[in-house]
Amino acid sequence: MKKQNGLPGMRVLILGGGGREHALYHRIVQSPLAEKVFVWPGNGLIPAEDRVDKPAITTDFTDLVGFLREHSIDCTVVGNETPLVHGVRDFIKSHMPAHWVFGPNKYAAQLEGSKAFAVEFLRAEKIPHGESVLATSLEEALKTLPKQELPLVIKADGLAAGKGVSIHHDFSSAQKQLERIFNEKIFGDAGKRVLLQRFLKGHEASLFALCNGTVALLLPVARDYKRALDGDAGDNTGGMGAYAPAGHLSEAHKAFIADKIIAPLLRHFQYRGLLYIGLMVGSERADDVAVVEFNCRFGDPETQSVLPLLEGDVLEYLLWCDGYPVQFPILEQNGVRYVPYRRGAVVNVVIAARGYPADFARGIPLFFPETNSKDTHIIGAGIEERDGRYFSTAGRIANVVAYGKSIEKARELVYGYLRRFQEANANCADQLYWRSDIAQNL
Ligand code: GLY
């Protein structure tokens, strides 16, 4: 059994199988504390002996607890929101009180699970956000629609696999969307309630904080590229790339966020796990930031760009969130605390199936050339492995991630690898695409 600082080796399970969970796996297997790491279900670029070959855990946790007992797992890291919103932490803790869980409880996870719940909290704490009206029927929504300003943001209240938010520049498209949500039920129960929200202008930034119930440690700020095509054209996707650190938030902004957003949230929820704050930064004025959304888990694809910047043992940081007795250096600047991080930058570009996020092919055969730099690595997402060969299974297939002393150096490594990847996959190049402008023209 591995031991570190007198602490026993840990058997860890990561729930999920996308790029975010693979990025967590990539760091956790390097931890001196980790004796064994499983990913359930994982993806084809994760070694087969570490994958749990079962359907992803979503809302039923009985089999999960059986697995934790059978494999003597000490710690579960929950990667994605669905199990958190359905109370996976509460369920595990009620059956196995001594088990370590990374992720908030069901009550706090409503910050992501219900946009109306999040707005209620933001309003109560007077935290800047896009003012909004809640509608519980089409009639109610259409009555209030003409009183709203354009452009208008329409948000389904519940989890909608990243598709529940749309922006409208005229009332007729807003009305059509409301009809689709309430009449055609395009988001199912997630669209039973809808927010009509003021559009916020500025630069988007994703800020992550690791929280242990009373203390929050910030991670480097990331920028996510949500649109499918270069120049932020095309449809909204789960994210086509990211880079970190992103310069949109100044030290003064971060001090404001720590004091006026994170501190009240910690007080109210005793929040444990990763708090993702999606922000709109209006100007350089410290208080000109507004919350776009909260998420109760790491972002994807931002995590792939943030984790390589962290110094130290990422598993220790995740365990710290649940009260595990570890000690590590904490950086402090202007009263804001940070996980130790290194200089330099990380760029991540997503390889996607052409047509994503609409119609796209699955089962595209893929070949990954060796990376020719120690600073470049490949993170899987919608990909499976069969007899040593790789095939796509989803729209976002893999991530090319590189660290560089500067953003430009990291970009050169990523796009240099992608040129070789394109040559190696020339026979199905027309079925693949990626953005060519991630971390460009900042
Ligand atoms: N990249 C956006 C998200 O993870 O929600």
Side-chain angles (χ1 to χ4, degrees), residues 224 226 238 276 295 297 299-302:
D224 172 20
K226 291 201 174 73
Y276 170 138
N295 293 318
R297 39 72 192 174
D300 189 343
E302 297 99 311

